[in-house]
Amino acid sequence: MNNRIQAIIQRYQTDRTRLLDMLWELHHLYGYLPDEALSELADGLNMAVEDVRETSSFYHYFHHRSTGSYTLYLSNTVIARMQGYQEVLDALERETGATLGEMDPSGTFSLYDTPCIGLSDQEPAMLVDEVVFTRLTPEKVSGIISQLKCGRSPEEIANPRALPKADIAYIDQLVGTNICKAGPVFFHKGNDFPELLKNCLDAGPEAVIAAITQAQLRGHGGAGFATGLKWKLCREAPGATKYIICNADEGEPGTFKDRVLLTRSPQAVLMGMVLAASVIGAREGIIYLRQEYIYLKAYLEQQLQLFREQQLLGKNILGRADFNFDIRIQMGAGAYICGDESALIESCEGKRGTPRVKPPYPVEQGYLGMPTCVNNVETLVAVTRVMQEGAEWYQSLGTEDSRGCRLMSVSGDCQRPGVYEIEWGTSLNQLLTLVGAEDPWAVQISGPSGECVAVDKGGERRFGYGDLSCNGSVMIFNRSRDLLGIVKHFMQFFVDESCGICTPCRSGNVDLRNKMERIIAGRGCQQDLDEMVSWGELVRSTSRCGLGGTSPNPILTTLQQFPELYQAKLTEQSGVLLPSFDLEAALQGNERARIELTHHDYIPRELIQDPETEK
Amino acid sequence: MSIQITIDGQPVVTEAGENLVDVAAQNSVYIPTLCYLKGKPCLGTCRVCSVRVNGHFTAACSVPVTEGMQVEVDTAELADMRKALIESLFSEGNHNCPSCEKSGRCELQATGYEVGMVVSRFPYRFPLRPREVAADHIWLERDRCIFCQRCVEFIRDRQTDQKIFAIKGRGTAAQIEVNTELANRMPPEQVREAADICPVGCIIEKGVGFNDPIGRRKFELQSVRERALGEEES
Ligand SMILES: Cc1cc2nc3c(=O)[nH]c(=O)nc-3n(C[C@H](O)[C@H](O)[C@H](O)COP(=O)(O)O)c2cc1C
Ligand code: SF4
Ligand code: SF4
Ligand code: SF4
Ligand code: FES
Ligand code: FES
C-alpha cells in the first residue's frame, strides 16, 4: 500500500467524481501515471483499472509513460506556423536532444506539440510544465533550455524577481494581455460589488432574470443561447441542489479573450457567478479552467479568497441566512471537446469528456444529475455589467438582433493583434482597419469551427447573430498564406480532438482530412471535391455534438469562398485509373509478399512491434 | 398521454415520451439501429438511426416523441446517409465476413445488407488493431469493434458493479479493453450476454463459433428488419 496514493484518495473522500483531480495529483507525484499507481487508485475507488484509464487516456496532458524532468508543449497553431513555429521547433529539438513526441535520452526533456494554448497574439509560445513562454525565437529557446540544463527551474527563468504566483504582476510577467481596445462593457473599473449584489438580492431573482432578458443578452460561448432564459429554466427545474459552472475551457484555436478577462476582470466573472447562484439557487459553483491556463490558478484562488473576505462568497453571503455559495476551480487536462457544456460536465464528474445525449439538457440534469447552468466567461461579465448599468443601457449597444458588445481575439497578419471590444454590427472591414490588417485576403471567423471569409467578397458583412456570429476568434491571413495547408491543419485538429464516440465525427473527419491531403498533393480530381462536399454534409448533419456539427466547415467554407484554389490543384483523370491511385505503391504489397514467402526467416514488422509499447 | 405525430406523412397515435425507434417499429416503419437496445438507456453512438425530426437531422434513438412531431425516415437523402454511416464503420475497421465467427449473426453485416450496401464508398483504412486474448472465456477481435459502447455501459461485474469493458484512448488510437480478472469470474450466461450484446464479432466467446450452419444463422432465419418490426407485434 502506497501511503501517498491513499492520502490522495482520502483527500477526495473516495469520491470517484473527483477522478480528474486525483489523476492530476498522481501526475504531479510521478511525472506521469504509472500502471501500479493507477491500479492502486482504481482499487481504492472500487473501479476496474481499465475504467480509470478510460478517463485518463482521454486527456492530452496525462501521460502513461515516464516523462522527462521538464515537459515542453509547443503550441501548434496555424498562427504559430506563420510566425516561426518550425524554427522554434527545430531549435527545441536541437537544444533538448528530444524529438517531437519523445523524451531525450538523458530523461531531462519531453517535447510535445499541443493545439492552441490561447496565445495567438504572442506566438510562438510554449508551456514548460506550468509556466508559459511567449514570442519564442531560436535564440530565446537556446537561452531557456541552457538555463534548465543548469538546474534553474522554469519558474526561476520566467519569474526572476520571484513574484508571488497569486500576483497579477506574475501573470503579466509571463504573458501580455494586449487589450487593444476596451469599450463600454468589458474591463470596467471602479466596481462596488457588495453594493451591486445587495441591490440584486433586494430586487430578487425574478427581477434579475427580467433585466437580463430585457437586455436580450445572449451567451458569448458560441451557441448564442438567451442567458435570461437559461437562468429561468435552471431556476424552475426541479432539483435538490443546482450548480453554476463557468466555462473557461477556451479551446477554440485563435481565442484568448477569456484568458484576458480572467486576468483583468476576474471579479466581474465571479460576480456573474454569484448572481447566477442567487437566481438559480446554487450552493456550489465550478470554474472549469483549461490546463493551458494553469498559471492563472493561484491568482484566481486569490480572487476567490478576496470575495470570501468581502462576504461575497461562503456562508451567509452579505449576512443573508439563506444564501450560501462557494466556488471551486476544476482543472481540465487537455481536450477541446470539454468546452462543450455537457462534455465539460462529464469531465467535472471525473469522466471522459464525451458530450451527452440530449435530452435531458444540462439545465434539467447537469452536474451530478442536478440542474446546471453553464456560462461562458464573457457572458458572466456581461451579466455583471447589465446589472450594474441596467438593461436599457445594454440594449442601446449593438443592433436589433444582437445587443451589446463582444470581445474579439485578433491574430495573424495585422499590426496590432490582441483583444478588441466591438459593438455587434461592426463590419469585418471596420475591424480589419482597426487592427491594422496587412493586405487581408481571408479571415477565419470563430476558429476552425467557424467560417472562412474572403475579404473581397465578405468584407462588408457585419458581426452579429444574424450574420457573422463570431465566438471571439478572428484569424487574419494575407495573400502569401497557404490557405489549403491551413484547412488541412484545421481538419487534423478535429481528427485529434474528436471525442470519438460517434461514427460520423470519429471516422468521417479522418476521411475528410485524407481527402484534403490528396488534393494538396495534386492527386485529386473533381470527384474528390464532390465527395468532400457530400461527406462533409454527412458529418455535419449526423454528428452527435457541435464538434462534428462544425468540423467540415474549414473545407466547406473555403470551397465556397475560394473554389479557384481547389480547382488549381486538380488533375485530369487519364485512362481508367483515378489519379489518386498509385499503381506502383499498390503493387509493392505483392513484392513484399514475395519476399516474405521466399525468406522463411522474414518476420513482418507488425509482428515484432507490439503496438502497446509504442503508445 | 396519448399524442399524435406523423412519420413520413402518415399520422401515428402513440404515447408521449416513447422512444421514436420503438414508435416507428410499432407502426411498421423500420429505422436501422446498431447501438440502440430497447429498454436500455440510449447510447447515441452509431448515428445509423439518423432521421429528420421537424426538419432537423437527429438520431431517432435519442428522441422521446412529443405531440405534433413530424418525422421523416424514408427519403432518398436519409437512406443514403444511414447507408454511408454503415459503410464508414466497415472502412474504419477490418471486416472479413467470410472468416468471422459472427457472420450471419452480426448486426452490422445484417444492417449493411438491409440498407443495400455493396462496398464502402470510403477508402478502407486497414488499421492495425491487436486482438486481446488474455481472458479465459472471452477474447476481443478488435478489428471489428465499432465503439458502440454497449459492453462498456451494460456489462458490469456482479459483485462490485465495476466496469468489465472500457475504451482506452480516443480517435484512431481508441481501443476496447477488458479487465481479465473480472472477465474470468463472469458466469457463463454473462459471457454469453456480452458476446450477444456486442453487435459485431468483437467480443467472442472462446470455444464457440461457426456453430450454426450457413443458411440457419440468426439473420438468415429472420432478417434484422423483420426482427426489429416483428418483436413489437408479438
Ligand atoms: C466543441 C465545442 C467546444 C466549445 N467550446 C467552448 C468554450 O471553449 N468555451 C465556451 O464558453 N463555450 C464553448 N462551447 C459552447 C458550450 O457548449 C456552451 O454553449 C457555452 O459554454 C454556454 O455558455 P453561454 O450560454 O454563456 O454562451 C463549445 C461547444 C462545442 C460544441
Ligand atoms: S460529434 Fe465528435 S466530438 Fe461530438 S460526440 Fe460525436 S465524436 Fe464526439
Ligand atoms: S463483425 Fe460483422 S461485419 Fe464485421 S466481419 Fe464479422 S460479420 Fe462481418
Ligand atoms: S466490443 Fe462490441 S459491444 Fe463493445 S464497444 Fe466494441 S462493438 Fe460495441
Ligand atoms: S441506434 Fe441511434 S445512434 Fe445508434
Ligand atoms: S475471401 Fe477471397 S477467395 Fe474467399
Side-chain angles (χ1 to χ4, degrees):
Chain A
M1 265 235 289
N2 183 322
N3 288 335
R4 291 186 296 184
I5 300 180
Q6 294 307 321
I8 293 174
I9 296 172
Q10 264 163 31
R11 200 164 323 134
Y12 293 97
Q13 298 166 345
T14 326
D15 179 359
R16 61 155 299 176
T17 70
R18 300 299 297 274
L19 185 58
L20 227 56
D21 303 271
M22 291 187 253
L23 289 170
W24 266 125
E25 296 217 7
L26 275 192
H27 215 280
H28 291 142
L29 218 50
Y30 298 97
Y32 72 112
L33 299 172
D35 284 341
E36 317 76 64
L38 284 184
S39 293
E40 184 151 350
L41 182 65
D43 282 347
L45 296 172
N46 184 31
M47 291 167 78
V49 68
E50 286 76 10
D51 195 1
V52 172
R53 217 179 274 120
E54 184 165 87
T55 293
S56 64
S57 64
F58 186 84
Y59 297 92
H60 300 311
Y61 285 86
F62 288 144
H63 295 280
H64 297 80
R65 282 189 314 172
S66 67
T67 54
S69 317
Y70 305 107
T71 314
L72 284 56
Y73 295 94
L74 180 62
S75 176
N76 180 1
T77 69
V78 297
I79 302 296
R81 284 174 173 266
M82 286 156 43
Q83 297 172 353
Y85 170 89
Q86 194 56 49
E87 293 73 19
V88 168
L89 175 59
D90 292 345
L92 278 170
E93 290 191 322
R94 192 175 59 239
E95 300 294 328
T96 62
T99 44
L100 188 63
E102 305 286 339
M103 180 165 67
D104 78 298
S106 74
T108 314
F109 301 102
S110 286
L111 177 60
Y112 303 97
D113 63 356
T114 190
C116 186
I117 59 175
L119 291 163
S120 292
D121 57 339
Q122 42 209 303
E123 293 279 9
M126 69 170 172
L127 284 162
V128 180
D129 298 333
E130 303 196 342
V131 177
V132 69
F133 294 90
T134 66
R135 302 186 199 280
L136 295 171
T137 59
E139 298 71 48
K140 215 164 160 179
V141 165
S142 310
I144 295 166
I145 302 300
S146 64
Q147 291 185 67
L148 288 172
K149 281 181 179 166
C150 294
R152 291 190 75 193
S153 71
E155 277 83 7
E156 286 167 334
I157 301 170
N159 179 23
R161 288 182 288 155
L163 299 167
K165 281 190 182 179
D167 248 36
I168 191 157
Y170 171 76
I171 297 168
D172 285 339
Q173 184 152 275
L174 298 187
V175 297
T177 37
N178 296 337
I179 301 172
C180 298
K181 182 178 176 293
V185 179
F186 302 101
F187 309 112
H188 182 255
K189 295 205 179 68
N191 301 294
D192 185 346
F193 290 133
E195 174 72 13
L196 174 64
L197 182 60
K198 184 179 167 300
N199 292 342
C200 292
L201 292 178
D202 288 345
E206 306 290 351
V208 174
I209 290 179
I212 299 169
T213 309
Q214 195 202 334
Q216 290 171 271
L217 175 62
R218 295 170 66 166
H220 286 221
F225 194 84
T227 307
L229 178 60
K230 188 183 273 189
W231 288 20
K232 181 169 179 282
L233 291 172
C234 196
R235 173 176 166 74
E236 287 168 0
T241 186
K242 302 190 182 170
Y243 296 94
I244 162 78
I245 300 182
C246 168
N247 188 341
D249 197 47
E250 191 161 60
E252 190 71 45
T255 54
F256 45 85
K257 46 97 186 166
D258 290 344
R259 166 178 60 79
V260 173
L261 277 175
L262 290 169
T263 309
R264 289 281 169 247
S265 302
Q267 300 207 346
V269 181
L270 300 185
M271 193 65 234
M273 291 182 76
V274 176
L275 287 171
S278 75
V279 166
I280 65 175
R283 289 193 292 270
E284 277 174 68
I286 298 173
I287 298 175
Y288 189 92
L289 186 65
R290 67 192 307 229
Q291 171 63 15
E292 292 83 344
Y293 292 168
I294 178 75
Y295 51 86
L296 299 179
K297 185 161 183 257
Y299 171 67
L300 292 175
E301 296 280 12
Q302 171 80 4
Q303 301 300 314
L304 288 171
Q305 200 47 42
L306 290 174
F307 251 47
R308 287 183 197 111
E309 284 162 17
Q310 293 179 77
Q311 276 202 318
L312 295 171
L313 275 180
K315 273 212 160 64
N316 305 337
I317 290 176
L318 294 185
R320 315 229 168 182
D322 55 348
F323 191 16
N324 306 311
F325 173 69
D326 214 325
I327 297 173
R328 75 172 169 94
I329 298 175
Q330 173 71 59
M331 292 311 301
Y336 165 68
I337 189 57
C338 288
D340 169 88
E341 57 183 6
S342 66
L344 181 150
I345 289 170
E346 287 282 297
S347 183
C348 287
E349 292 181 358
K351 293 182 269 182
R352 290 163 78 89
T354 305
R356 289 181 176 173
V357 176
K358 284 155 254 173
Y361 290 90
V363 286
E364 305 159 308
Q365 283 174 41
Y367 182 59
L368 303 178
M370 293 298 146
T372 302
C373 179
V374 181
N375 276 124
N376 173 252
V377 172
E378 192 179 331
T379 311
L380 291 163
V381 176
V383 164
T384 301
R385 293 291 291 142
V386 167
M387 296 319 294
Q388 277 176 330
E389 309 287 339
E392 269 152 39
W393 165 82
Y394 192 80
Q395 258 196 316
S396 70
L397 303 163
T399 66
E400 188 83 356
D401 73 345
S402 312
R403 304 293 185 187
C405 298
R406 108 142 291 156
L407 293 179
M408 297 291 179
S409 320
V410 182
S411 63
D413 293 312
C414 65
Q415 282 159 15
R416 293 173 296 277
V419 172
Y420 293 78
E421 176 170 340
I422 59 159
E423 266 189 60
W424 285 117
T426 305
S427 75
L428 176 56
N429 279 338
Q430 284 169 327
L431 180 67
L432 291 173
T433 308
L434 199 60
V435 304
E438 294 142 346
D439 181 27
W441 178 44
V443 183
Q444 187 71 27
I445 307 284
S446 301
S449 74
E451 61 178 306
C452 184
V453 177
V455 175
D456 58 2
K457 291 180 192 157
E460 285 308 308
R461 290 175 63 188
R462 291 180 182 276
F463 290 105
Y465 292 105
D467 188 9
L468 280 180
S469 104
C470 183
N471 66 8
S473 172
V474 176
M475 296 187 260
I476 303 169
F477 308 118
N478 68 25
R479 265 168 221 284
S480 74
R481 304 303 173 187
D482 167 21
L483 212 48
L484 296 185
I486 289 170
V487 171
K488 192 192 101 182
H489 191 277
F490 288 164
M491 293 316 296
Q492 184 62 46
F493 169 74
F494 289 123
V495 167
D496 294 339
E497 296 303 321
S498 162
C499 88
I501 201 153
C502 78
T503 311
C505 171
R506 180 186 66 238
S507 183
N509 281 319
V510 175
D511 289 317
L512 288 172
R513 181 214 47 204
N514 292 350
K515 275 271 197 248
M516 217 40 224
E517 282 176 349
R518 175 183 292 181
I519 302 281
I520 289 172
R523 289 186 288 107
C525 60
Q526 184 60 41
Q527 184 186 332
D528 291 299
L529 295 191
D530 298 342
E531 284 179 345
M532 279 209 296
V533 172
S534 109
W535 299 358
E537 289 300 340
L538 176 75
V539 173
R540 187 147 86 170
S541 311
T542 58
S543 285
R544 165 143 142 190
C545 85
L547 191 152
T550 55
S551 63
N553 284 354
I555 294 178
L556 297 177
T557 62
T558 49
L559 254 176
Q560 200 243 339
Q561 296 276 300
F562 300 95
E564 66 283 0
L565 293 181
Y566 288 86
Q567 289 299 331
K569 285 284 187 186
L570 299 189
T571 46
E572 284 295 322
Q573 182 170 341
S574 63
V576 289
L577 297 181
L578 283 171
S580 54
F581 186 72
D582 185 342
L583 188 63
E584 229 157 80
L587 290 177
Q588 268 166 18
N590 177 46
E591 186 55 27
R592 233 183 95 208
R594 270 179 4 103
I595 298 174
E596 282 175 39
L597 288 171
T598 44
H599 298 73
H600 292 289
D601 51 352
Y602 175 89
I603 307 171
R605 215 195 55 206
E606 50 267 39
L607 294 185
I608 308 171
Q609 278 178 348
D610 177 4
E612 278 283 357
T613 58
E614 278 183 25
K615 215 197 92 170
Chain B
M1 194 182 64
S2 188
I3 57 162
Q4 188 176 323
I5 67 171
T6 67
I7 301 181
D8 291 328
Q10 296 297 312
V12 164
V13 177
T14 178
E15 289 295 305
E18 290 283 304
N19 188 289
L20 179 53
V21 170
D22 299 339
V23 173
Q26 282 153 16
N27 291 277
S28 305
V29 177
Y30 169 61
I31 301 176
T33 60
L34 281 177
C35 63
Y36 177 62
L37 281 172
K38 192 169 167 10
K40 299 259 197 224
C42 161
L43 298 170
T45 58
C46 75
R47 317 308 282 181
V48 162
C49 63
S50 289
V51 296
R52 278 186 193 256
V53 173
N54 298 335
H56 300 291
F57 292 102
T58 185
C61 70
S62 68
V63 177
V65 292
T66 54
E67 173 65 39
M69 227 173 218
Q70 302 205 350
V71 183
E72 290 166 71
V73 179
D74 190 15
T75 69
E77 176 201 39
L78 285 165
D80 188 60
M81 283 181 153
R82 292 189 292 257
K83 187 173 161 193
L85 291 170
I86 291 172
E87 292 172 9
S88 189
L89 288 169
F90 272 92
S91 60
E92 187 194 21
N94 297 304
H95 296 268
N96 281 301
C97 296
S99 64
C100 177
E101 293 81 356
K102 193 88 171 200
S103 196
R105 299 180 295 136
C106 168
E107 292 173 42
L108 176 63
Q109 183 192 50
T111 314
Y113 280 132
E114 200 56 58
V115 300
M117 172 187 159
V118 179
V119 67
S120 180
R121 73 192 68 180
F122 306 101
Y124 288 90
R125 277 186 226 142
F126 305 110
L128 202 60
R129 293 193 187 163
R131 61 176 63 86
E132 169 62 62
V133 296
D136 293 342
H137 308 295
I138 270 182
W139 99 85
L140 299 179
E141 195 65 73
R142 292 196 179 105
D143 276 343
R144 306 165 185 159
C145 179
I146 58 168
F147 304 103
C148 70
Q149 309 272 331
R150 280 183 180 179
C151 61
V152 176
E153 294 301 329
F154 302 140
I155 307 284
R156 291 196 173 245
D157 180 59
R158 294 186 179 170
Q159 289 165 40
T160 61
D161 199 41
Q162 293 179 2
K163 273 189 187 174
I164 303 176
F165 298 91
I167 304 278
K168 186 174 94 180
R170 62 161 134 149
T172 43
Q175 66 178 26
I176 185 79
E177 298 282 338
V178 59
N179 181 297
T180 311
E181 204 181 310
L182 296 181
N184 286 348
R185 69 178 195 218
M186 287 165 79
E189 81 274 9
Q190 197 185 22
V191 168
R192 203 145 311 131
E193 183 194 353
D196 283 345
I197 212 175
C198 178
V200 290
C202 179
I203 301 178
I204 297 283
E205 195 178 349
K206 285 187 177 175
V208 185
F210 307 110
N211 284 26
D212 304 323
I214 291 178
R216 303 285 318 272
R217 298 174 301 184
K218 181 176 176 183
F219 291 118
E220 290 162 337
L221 297 176
Q222 200 186 12
S223 78
V224 68
R225 172 196 293 265
E226 286 161 356
R227 281 170 190 275
L229 301 181
E231 273 169 15
E232 295 305 323
E233 282 158 15
S234 59

